[in-house]
Amino acid sequence: MKKSERSALILEALSKVIELPKSELVFNSPFQLICAVLLSAQCTDKRVNMTTPALFERYPSARELAEADVEDVYGIISSISYPRAKARHLVEMAKMMVRDFGAEVPSEHSDLVKLPGVGDKTANVVESIAFGHPTIAVDTHVFRVSHRLGLSKGKTPKAVTEDLVKAIPPQLRGDAHHYLLLFGRYTCKAVNPLCENCPLTKYCVSKSRFKA
């Protein structure tokens, strides 16, 4: 079976068990989205959503955040993982947005990855959600699920991204990212995956490893 055929069957099955293939991060603008995604690295969306309301109330746009004291930002986000580095990245990112992009979030990948704290994954998420670009962001969940379902053998997130982009048509990539992410977050977990409740066992190339 070709990977394009395999991915189509997998996405069809997931569409029957996941009602809303969308981000669980709470945001109201591209600026809030990129901040939330940056904060979500090695941190749960739930924790990020508990943190961002105070951040966005004090710094509603890149212009305000660019003028922020890093220590003040650190105090607001101190409950999340790596708060000092993320506080610094947030302020530096806002400064670059103001200086180079008119205080707006750039829409092109090459510009997004120039921003402090923004790598390929964050850029792909912002491109897909905020601007509707046909890309797929590969986080730890998507990386794991893609291997277990035989969609990729790539050893890096970039390699997995390339495999998924080849296998999944442009119009489905946005939803595909969320389907695979949510499936990995709640069913195909890294530890103790819920194989007994999995709708994709016939596609799993690792099922012998995860028998109950």
Side-chain angles (χ1 to χ4, degrees):
M1 182 187 299
K2 294 181 179 179
K3 286 183 179 178
S4 58
E5 298 171 335
R6 189 180 191 86
S7 67
L9 292 170
I10 288 170
L11 294 178
E12 182 181 4
L14 288 176
S15 72
K16 295 176 180 178
V17 294
I18 299 175
E19 283 189 36
L20 295 174
K22 67 176 187 177
S23 176
E24 293 185 314
L25 292 170
V26 177
F27 60 92
N28 292 310
S29 67
F31 167 73
Q32 291 188 359
L33 172 63
I34 197 170
C35 290
V37 177
L38 189 155
L39 290 172
S40 71
Q42 295 180 285
C43 187
T44 66
D45 287 1
K46 182 178 180 180
R47 172 56 59 184
V48 172
N49 290 338
M50 294 170 63
T51 303
T52 50
L55 179 70
F56 297 149
E57 181 178 7
R58 185 167 302 191
Y59 305 110
S61 76
R63 292 193 185 280
E64 287 86 4
L65 185 57
E67 300 297 325
D69 182 272
V70 172
E71 284 300 312
D72 185 60
V73 175
Y74 166 77
I76 296 172
I77 69 169
S78 60
S79 65
I80 68 169
S81 59
Y82 306 105
R84 288 204 176 276
K86 290 178 180 178
R88 186 176 69 255
H89 285 151
L90 283 172
V91 175
E92 291 174 350
M93 177 184 72
K95 288 180 183 294
M96 181 176 285
M97 286 168 57
V98 170
R99 184 179 70 243
D100 297 342
F101 302 106
E104 299 293 333
V105 177
S107 61
E108 296 303 318
H109 189 90
S110 58
D111 289 329
L112 284 163
V113 295
K114 293 176 184 176
L115 298 172
V118 177
D120 282 327
K121 190 267 287 187
T122 297
N124 284 338
V125 171
V126 174
E127 283 184 80
S128 175
I129 296 176
F131 303 109
H133 292 184
T135 187
I136 295 180
V138 175
D139 66 354
T140 56
H141 298 300
V142 177
F143 187 90
R144 178 177 67 255
V145 167
S146 297
H147 282 82
R148 289 181 179 175
L149 295 179
L151 295 175
S152 177
K153 293 182 180 179
K155 297 184 183 299
T156 65
K158 184 175 181 180
V160 173
T161 299
E162 291 172 352
D163 286 340
L164 294 178
V165 165
K166 290 177 183 177
I168 300 171
Q171 69 273 18
L172 298 180
R173 290 174 192 163
D175 284 351
H177 162 72
H178 295 302
Y179 279 134
L180 295 174
L181 185 156
L182 294 170
F183 176 64
R185 180 174 291 167
Y186 295 111
T187 302
C188 193
K189 303 177 182 180
V191 179
N192 298 322
L194 306 181
C195 299
E196 66 278 8
N197 296 324
C198 180
L200 301 177
T201 52
K202 63 182 177 181
Y203 304 113
C204 182
V205 298
S206 302
K207 58 186 175 184
S208 62
R209 196 185 313 168
F210 302 113
K211 285 182 179 177

